[in-house]
Amino acid sequence: MGIGILATGSYLPKHEVGNDEIAQRVGVGADWIERKTQIRSRRYAADHEATSDLAVKAAGHALDQARLTAHQIDHIIVSTSTGDFPQPPTSYLVQHHLGAYGAACLDVNVVCSGFVYALALAHSLVTVNPAARILVVGADVYSRILDFTDRRTAVLFADGAGAAVVGAVPEPYGIIATDLASRGDAHHLIRVEAGGSRRPASAATVARGEHYFRMDGRGVRDFVTEHVPPALRALAAKAGVDLADVDHFVPHQANGVMLADVVERAGLSGAHTHRTLIRYGNVGSASVPVALDEAHRTGALAPGDLVLLAGFGGGMSIGATLLTWGATA
């Protein structure tokens, strides 16, 4: 048996925010936003929705597709950098709302690479217990921590959730290889400066805007350009395949212009690159699973297709997985 993805699910909030609305808030033109990012619209969570609410809905769709009940799940892993609270873990809230009380739960915070990291952990858990079924969720609500005076970030980020059920699958399907990389020397490129133990929340930190999401856009692009294509080539070499043979590339939806550059530099022009950022923006940890779910539900993925998942972002971090698609519900 192999280990692979049995089902997928996603949830995007109903509130759609177009470039015209964002342009008015940040003081740029709508055409400038699309030219710089290729994003045309995005979704924001309703006032009553938190990260766990989005995660529960995406998880429910994945469970329905897998024809599983919450009681049949052994582990829940939630990847998020915008959890409901500092404590308890968001995965425990997801467990509670699903009623999955037989599952052991944990959160992963590797920002936009988190879903791929969580998949790697799920792979290990099924290796130890081949009968296990793991619910992996990537969910973020970035609209709550955006500074709308900062056009570098406010035009990019949005809210959403994606999920997958991981378990044993018959060969030759399933995960072929995974590679994870962390570069703490670049930790300053993406950050929220206050609210932790080093700089606790106070009236002063709020007044200085230190709880907003911050990003050095040029530094991030340089990091991605330098490190992501070689990481993808190294993963392919480890798996004994050629990137030219990849059928589907499902990347983190960071920025459309940067994504096109990654595709060219990595030699993935022959693959179908799945892009959801045009309609949903950058939804952090949810980027990869949302794009994967859309590809799956639209019938774009066929059994035997070689699929490359890739996340990259804060930390800085890179996570990539190669799998042979198939044996899904």
Side-chain angles (χ1 to χ4, degrees):
M1 300 294 288
I3 299 169
I5 292 174
L6 306 177
T8 62
S10 61
Y11 173 74
L12 284 305
K14 292 182 174 59
H15 181 205
E16 184 173 353
V17 181
N19 283 347
D20 288 337
E21 181 178 340
I22 291 293
Q24 290 179 358
R25 298 184 69 175
V26 303
V28 298
D31 58 339
W32 181 89
I33 297 174
E34 184 171 353
R35 187 174 69 254
K36 292 289 187 179
T37 69
Q38 294 185 1
I39 296 169
R40 296 175 184 169
S41 65
R42 71 281 294 143
R43 303 289 182 89
Y44 285 174
D47 291 344
H48 67 275
E49 289 181 313
T51 297
S52 68
D53 299 310
L54 276 57
V56 166
K57 290 179 179 178
H61 293 155
L63 290 173
D64 288 346
Q65 189 183 80
R67 300 184 182 88
L68 295 173
T69 68
H71 300 289
Q72 295 174 287
I73 294 298
D74 298 282
H75 301 273
I76 299 173
I77 308 171
V78 173
S79 168
T80 185
S81 56
T82 58
D84 288 30
F85 310 104
Q87 295 185 44
T90 301
S91 56
Y92 285 68
L93 304 176
V94 173
Q95 178 202 46
H96 176 63
H97 288 296
L98 291 174
Y101 296 117
C105 308
L106 72 154
D107 284 9
V108 171
N109 180 2
V110 198
V111 197
C112 300
S113 299
F115 181 78
V116 178
Y117 273 65
L119 272 183
L121 179 55
H123 184 277
S124 297
L125 290 168
V126 179
T127 300
V128 174
N129 177 13
R133 295 182 178 97
I134 320 295
L135 179 60
V136 180
V137 186
D140 273 308
V141 176
Y142 270 98
S143 63
R144 304 280 162 78
I145 59 171
L146 292 177
D147 178 358
F148 285 94
T149 68
D150 180 7
R151 67 180 187 179
R152 296 169 299 179
T153 56
V155 303
L156 289 169
F157 291 88
D159 309 336
V165 178
V166 176
V169 296
E171 292 183 345
Y173 305 118
I175 294 171
I176 302 168
T178 296
D179 202 13
L180 310 175
S182 303
R183 289 296 300 268
D185 55 324
H187 70 275
H188 59 282
L189 295 178
I190 296 176
R191 64 204 184 278
V192 175
E193 295 170 343
S197 60
R198 184 170 298 280
R199 195 171 298 176
S202 67
T205 61
V206 173
R208 291 193 295 264
E210 294 176 355
H211 296 265
Y212 286 129
F213 177 87
R214 303 295 182 192
M215 181 176 71
D216 177 349
R218 184 176 296 276
V220 169
R221 180 160 188 163
D222 289 345
F223 176 91
V224 170
T225 298
E226 180 180 355
H227 295 287
V228 172
L232 299 182
R233 288 192 290 269
L235 173 65
K238 181 168 74 172
V241 303
D242 193 312
L243 286 179
D245 296 327
V246 170
D247 298 297
H248 300 273
F249 182 39
V250 185
H252 168 49
Q253 308 288 307
N255 173 303
V257 175
M258 183 167 67
L259 184 54
D261 186 55
V262 168
V263 168
E264 181 179 354
R265 290 175 182 270
L268 285 162
S269 299
H272 179 174
T273 298
H274 295 269
R275 294 177 171 89
T276 57
L277 63 89
I278 296 171
R279 287 171 287 122
Y280 304 140
N282 180 340
V283 287
S285 285
S287 281
V288 171
V290 165
L292 181 65
D293 182 51
E294 182 170 287
H296 183 199
R297 289 177 184 268
T298 58
L301 308 179
D305 281 353
L306 186 61
V307 179
L308 173 61
L309 311 179
F312 44 87
M316 296 291 288
S317 60
I318 303 170
T321 294
L322 267 170
L323 61 133
T324 301
W325 190 256
T328 53

